[in-house]
Amino acid sequence: MSPLLAYGFTFLTDMNTQKLSFKTQRLHLLALYQQLAELGVLHVLFSPTFASFQSELSAYFAKDPAEAYQLETVCDDFSMSRATLIRRLQRDGTNFRTVLSNVRMTHALSLMQEKRQTQLDLALQCGYQSESRFSQRFHQQFGMTPKQYMKTVVY
């Protein structure tokens, strides 16, 4: 177990004493999930028998969230047609861009908990070329800007 992962587990167990809002607690939990996915052990928490295609695709994206993923390349990597990939994601109630965005935003939370960085550095590490687009997407996902979230992180 990495020190960062140990910190994440400790933080979660102590969260009720922190008096954090439900939304902030959720963000910290998502960051822990991202750390587990990056280490390739998220399946320990979630049984693979219930894994959806969305989960498989998320794990694929989590290996390198900053990569400029193209639908055609991902289809080739999964050995399926574009129509099949889209149909399988629709069964899970989502789409390619949403899954990629969720992975990147969760990765952003993980990065924010590791160390303080500029918003541009975070955007680039999460696959966004624009700081403003990253901030906009983060706000859509979590209801607060990256700067607002950073104020809740304790180092």
Side-chain angles (χ1 to χ4, degrees):
M1 178 181 295
S2 72
L4 189 57
L5 195 54
Y7 167 78
F9 281 120
T10 302
F11 186 85
L12 284 179
T13 58
D14 295 339
M15 203 176 317
N16 62 341
T17 64
Q18 302 286 329
K19 306 260 191 259
L20 300 174
S21 70
F22 176 77
K23 187 180 266 186
T24 301
Q25 290 179 34
R26 181 178 177 275
L27 295 175
H28 286 288
L29 181 61
L30 289 173
L32 178 66
Y33 288 168
Q34 179 65 29
Q35 289 173 335
L36 291 170
E38 289 173 9
L39 293 171
V41 295
L42 186 59
H43 67 281
V44 173
L45 288 179
F46 301 102
S47 170
T49 58
F50 297 110
S52 62
F53 182 66
Q54 177 182 351
S55 299
E56 291 179 48
L57 190 59
S58 293
Y60 173 85
F61 290 149
K63 292 176 185 172
D64 187 6
E67 175 74 27
Y69 292 102
Q70 298 297 315
L71 183 59
E72 290 74 22
T73 306
V74 174
C75 289
D76 289 344
D77 289 348
F78 277 85
S79 301
M80 64 178 63
S81 70
R82 176 187 177 102
T84 299
L85 187 137
I86 291 170
R87 190 172 40 255
R88 289 190 64 189
L89 287 173
Q90 283 176 338
R91 265 190 254 149
D92 290 344
T94 191
N95 63 54
F96 182 84
R97 288 286 161 214
T98 300
V99 175
L100 180 57
S101 178
N102 288 342
V103 168
R104 287 178 169 171
M105 289 297 101
T106 306
H107 182 62
L109 292 175
S110 178
L111 292 172
M112 290 176 181
Q113 290 180 1
E114 289 177 18
K115 65 179 183 177
R116 196 166 295 280
Q117 315 183 44
T118 68
Q119 193 164 301
L120 179 59
D121 287 339
L122 287 168
L124 294 173
Q125 291 177 64
C126 293
Y128 291 92
Q129 302 304 312
S130 162
E131 180 179 349
S132 62
R133 181 67 181 137
F134 168 73
S135 181
Q136 179 185 41
R137 182 69 64 155
F138 191 94
H139 189 268
Q140 283 176 333
Q141 182 93 16
F142 302 116
M144 64 177 77
T145 66
K147 289 180 184 179
Q148 290 169 327
Y149 177 75
M150 289 299 293
K151 291 177 184 176
T152 71
V153 178
V154 179
Y155 294 98

